[in-house]
Each structure stands twice: as C-alpha cells, then as structure tokens.
Amino acid sequence: MKVAGLSTLPPGRRATVSERLGGPLLLLAAMALAIFLLLPLGALLLGAVRDDAGAFSLARFAEFATTPGMATAVWNTLWVAVVVTAITVPLAFVYAYAIERACLPLRGLWRIVGLSALLGPSLVGAIAFIQWFGTQGVLKAWLGETSVYGPVGIVMATVYASFPHALMILVVALATADGRLYEAADALSASRWRKFVTVTLPGARYGLISAALVVFAYSVSEFGIPKVIGGNFPVLAVEIYVQVVGQHNFGRGAVVALLLLLPVLLAFAIDWWVQRRQQAGLSARAVPYRPRPDWRRDLPLLFYCLLLATAMLGILGMAAYTSLVRFWPYNLELSLDHYIYGLAEAGVLDAWLNSLRIAGLTALFGTPFVFFTAWLLEKGQGGPTGLRPLVRALAALPMGVPGLVLGIGYILFFNAPDNPLNGLYQTLAIMVIANIVHYYTACHLTALTALKGIDREFEAVSASLKVSPFVTLWRVTLPVCLPAVLEIARYLFINAMTTVSALVFLYSPTTLPASVAILNLDEAGELGPAAAMATLIVLTSAAISLLYSFVTHLLFRRHQAWRQGQR
C-alpha cells in the first residue's frame, strides 16, 4: 500500500541512506522552524484578535484606531522611512560606484570603513549624534534652532545605521558589467552622462530597488534609534515597547506589532517579485568591464569617499571619545573610569559577558543547523511530497519579520503557562534561538549559494562507489563550502552581539545582553557608561572580524590551495 503524500521508489530498488535519513532529518528541521517561528507568529495573531476573555474580537484594532497619537505614530514611521531611504540609497550608490567603477587607491579601506557601522548596535550612532548635535553637542550650532531630539536625529542616525546594508547590495550590483556595452557607447561617442544613464543605471536597477526596500524595511522596524534620540516623536517601534514594557498591555502590543509587520512584509514581497524578474547581467560571451583611470571622475569620487569615511569614523570616534571623557562636557580629561567603575556600579558589566555567551552559542549552534538544513534541501533526497517547498518558505520568512515582532510573538507563545516549552522563557537558550531564527534567511541563502556551486557529479560518483552521502558531506562538501560556513558563523556572532530589538523582551536580570544594557543606561542618563558598553561591543565585533580573516586565510592556505589556482 502506498501512503499518500510520501515519495515512492521504483519496484526492486531499495532506499538509499540519504533517502532513509534525509527525509526525517529535514522534517525535524521543518518542525524546529515551525515551533520557533510559525507558532510564535500565530500566537501574535491570536493575541491581536482575542479580547481579554479569550473570545474572537477585533475590538483591539478599533481601540488602536481611536487611541490619540496612534495614527500619528503610523504616519511618522512611514514618512521617516521614506526620507531615510531617499537619502541613504543615493549616498550608498555613489560610494559603491566609486569603489567598483572608479580607479581609487585603497579600495579595500573604503569598503571596510563603509561597512564599519555593522560592528556596533544602532545605538552607537544615536549616542554619537547626541554628542555631536545635542543640547551640549560640539556642532550644535550647525542645526540652528532645530533639535536633534526628534525626526532630525532619527533620520541622521538611521541613515548611518542602514548605509552599510545598502552598500553591500549596491557593491554586488555594480561589481559585474559587460564591457562590450561601454565599448559600443564609446564607439558611438556617447557622453559620460549618457553612458551612466543608459548603461550603468539600467544594469544596477534591481540592486537599487532591493537596496531601497531593505533600507525602508530597516527604518520601519528600527527600535533603538528612536528610543534613544527620538525624544517625544512617536513611531510604531517605540509604541510596541511602551505598550508591552511600560503598560504590560500585550494585546495592544500585538496589534501594533502586526501593523509594523505589514509594511516590512510588503517591502520584502516586492523585493522577491523584483528578484524573480531579474535577468542575468552577464552572458556567456560577456567581457568583464574594467574601468580606466580618469582623473575627472576619480578625483571627485575620491574626495566623496574621503568625506563620507571621515563622517562615519567621526561617529564611531565620538562614541569612543565619550566613553573616555570623565564628565561631558565639563571635564574632558581622558580616563577609563566609565569602563572600570561606571559599568560595575551600574551592574551591567556581566551584560557584556552574557552577550559573548549568547553570540558564541548562536554561532556554535546556528551555523551547523543552517548549513545542514540547506544541504538537506539542496543535496538530500527523500521525505514527504511538499516538505521541501515548505522548508524553503520557512527559511525565507524570517527576513520579513522585524525583531520586535518576533520578540512579542515569543512572549505570547513561550510565556503561556500551559506551554510545555515555558521553561525556555527568559533564559540564554531562548535568546540564542531568537537570534538564529531572526537572522536565518541571510545565512540560509549564503549556504544555498555555496552548495549550488558544487556539481552534483560529486554525489553521483559517491553513490556509484557506495560511499555514504554523509561521508561525502564531511570530506568533500564541507571543505569546499568552508568560506561560506565561516562567513555564516561570523555573521551570526556579530549580529547576536549588536541586536537590540530581537532580545529586548526576552531577557531576565541575569541574562541581560550588552546591547539592551546600553538602552537601560541611556534611560538612566548614564551616557558615559552607555558609550563605554557600545565601544566594547564595537571592539569585540572588530576583534572577531579580524580573527575571522586570519582563520580564513590560514585555512585557505592549508586546506584550499586549489582555490589559489583559480585566482
């Protein structure tokens, strides 16, 4: 008898090891993603459409619509996101154009500086802008009568925080181009501007759209920046925090979370649709474009990169300087007091150690889970019909779920008394799981890209030699994909160190992470210790990045010498 929905084998052929184990293992991965992603989102939806008695009701949405200030928060969230997108994407595009399409010295340095904001939480920029343009800021006069506390500060800090996300996308979009198009344009005596408009921009249009949607979604869901520098300017992300932490109104918080989820999901749905329409920019006969030196283009772009790099380093430098000054702005003597005494007196020095544990465990458990699940999808066999599309959908969903929304879902699901997983709530384990789920999609796509680059002939030869697919995974696939595996580990570690929104609802007094400690210190008016904690996170992330580069270089030389021949 054949079981409906299960894959069947031809008569006389026995199931292979991959088919016997691949299906159940992939099913376990799907169950894990369903438990820690779908069920919390389902609890969030139920929390929004149930009244206090547990009956189905849309009264919470009606209450939200009639509550004073809520419509203003929605409007503020959207228009700030549009302004941030309109500023960030052109800035990042010109910067990426300078790196990829101009002959600049120290291109690697400009790239590193452009991505430097990723090393710390978004609160770093907010703290630095307060010190630059705040009430007692160094450059307060530059803003005239305008206060940095409000939409101006939110826009500036969010542009700084979202810039590297747009830059990464646009660098990739501009990295490849068909040189024949530019040769044809030169043969037709096209001007530089005409070549830019008719060749460069059309070739990068999908990257521009993706960058704009990513920045828009980032701005809509950003919580730390408006909390620190937003003043009394209401936005949805802060409203969720107020409802849950300030008023313990989880139902209202669920409603606001759903409203925050809608524009983010819409942005990523549009991005997915755009990516499906994208066609290959290089054909098999394409000639890679290599820019020729031209001082009329290169010199202005060099000054542009220098200007932006100075601004970005100035933001990081101000945060570090604030952590070393005894009492801003009255006593500017440099000291380590904020590190030695300030953090200890505030009782949050252990938070840095907590973040190290959380980040280490996130990388330790998240990396093998993500890679092995991607391997089961791409190289494995067996399992019920429809399982693989389900896992692919589950793997893509976290990208469209903001950290605050995931956190509210975890509260409603794991804090329920009748939930057998209730013991996970407010533990390091639940924070590690939240980080893995929150950043799952980017890691999954990285692993899939690496696995798709390996010819299936390896598995075919292994099968003909009756070698277990798991032996092939260990001896062939994993070594070949080692760069992607290390990149996933680094990505998970740094994001677990810097995230605020995904963990702000899940910690206990003994599991307080460093990024949330910055938020608490700022609320208490302890800007010096807050800057010290932020600087510690930046230094830790930078040290891990340097360690990653060293280990990658060492492993490449020892175990992947074959790659050198391809370069």
Side-chain angles (χ1 to χ4, degrees), residues 38-60:
L38 283 187
L39 293 184
L41 292 180
L44 177 71
L45 178 61
L46 289 176
V49 298
R50 283 181 175 177
D51 57 22
D52 294 333
F56 176 80
S57 172
L58 297 178
R60 297 190 191 278

Side-chain angles (χ1 to χ4, degrees), residues 77-413:
T77 300
L78 294 177
W79 79 256
V80 165
V82 170
V83 171
V84 168
T85 304
I87 296 173
T88 305
V89 175
L91 287 176
F93 180 80
V94 177
Y95 199 90
Y97 183 86
I99 292 174
E100 294 295 335
R101 298 296 177 88
C103 297
L104 301 186
L106 305 175
R107 290 173 57 194
L109 176 63
W110 304 126
R111 186 192 298 254
I112 291 173
V113 174
L115 299 177
S116 59
L118 296 175
L119 296 176
S122 57
L123 304 174
V124 172
I127 291 173
F129 279 112
I130 289 175
Q131 298 299 78
W132 280 114
F133 303 104
T135 306
Q136 298 173 325
V138 178
L139 303 177
K140 176 188 174 183
W142 285 23
L143 294 183
E145 299 298 321
T146 305
S147 172
V148 76
Y149 298 98
V152 173
I154 294 175
V155 168
M156 289 193 298
T158 309
V159 166
Y160 168 74
S162 61
F163 180 86
H165 298 276
L167 179 63
M168 288 188 293
I169 296 172
L170 293 172
V171 163
V172 173
L174 292 169
T176 55
D178 192 344
R180 297 176 302 170
L181 298 177
Y182 290 90
E183 292 173 0
D186 290 335
L188 294 172
S189 301
S191 65
R192 290 184 179 85
W193 175 251
R194 186 166 181 80
K195 285 190 289 186
F196 179 78
V197 172
T198 59
V199 180
T200 303
L201 279 182
R205 64 185 181 277
Y206 292 111
L208 283 166
I209 294 173
S210 292
L213 293 171
V214 167
V215 172
F216 179 84
Y218 182 95
S219 180
V220 167
S221 59
E222 175 56 35
F223 161 70
I225 290 173
K227 186 70 177 66
V228 171
I229 203 173
N232 295 321
F233 187 77
V235 294
L236 281 178
V238 176
E239 188 59 36
I240 294 176
Y241 183 80
V242 170
Q243 294 296 331
V244 174
V245 176
Q247 302 180 16
H248 295 281
N249 190 338
F250 295 101
R252 177 75 64 80
V255 171
V256 181
L258 283 179
L259 292 176
L260 186 68
L261 182 62
L262 291 178
V264 177
L265 283 179
L266 177 62
F268 282 107
I270 295 173
D271 183 51
W272 175 79
W273 179 77
V274 169
Q275 294 298 332
R276 290 196 63 185
R277 293 175 59 88
Q278 183 175 0
Q279 297 178 352
L282 292 179
S283 65
R285 298 180 180 178
V287 177
Y289 172 69
R290 303 191 188 283
R292 292 187 291 252
D294 184 346
W295 69 269
R296 290 170 296 182
R297 175 201 62 204
D298 297 342
L299 191 59
L301 288 176
L302 179 61
F303 279 115
Y304 176 82
C305 289
L306 183 61
L307 180 64
L308 255 64
T310 302
M312 287 182 279
L313 291 178
I315 293 170
L316 281 178
M318 177 55 80
Y321 180 66
T322 302
S323 72
L324 296 173
V325 169
R326 285 188 181 275
F327 186 54
W328 178 279
Y330 305 106
N331 185 354
L332 300 182
E333 180 184 353
L334 300 182
S335 159
L336 294 176
D337 286 354
H338 291 314
Y339 292 90
I340 299 173
Y341 304 111
L343 296 180
E345 289 176 1
V348 295
L349 190 57
D350 288 341
W352 180 66
L353 298 176
N354 285 338
S355 283
L356 283 179
R357 297 187 191 99
I358 293 169
L361 291 172
T362 300
L364 181 64
F365 291 100
T367 304
F369 177 72
V370 170
F371 185 80
F372 190 62
T373 303
W375 178 80
L376 289 172
L377 270 178
E378 182 64 22
K379 304 294 185 180
Q381 300 176 1
T385 303
L387 177 61
R388 295 177 188 280
L390 173 63
V391 175
R392 289 190 179 93
L394 289 173
L397 181 58
M399 183 172 285
V401 180
L404 282 176
V405 175
L406 190 65
I408 293 286
Y410 272 43
I411 290 177
L412 296 175
F413 180 68

Side-chain angles (χ1 to χ4, degrees), residues 529-543:
M533 182 65 81
T535 304
L536 274 178
I537 295 177
V538 172
L539 292 175
T540 303
S541 299

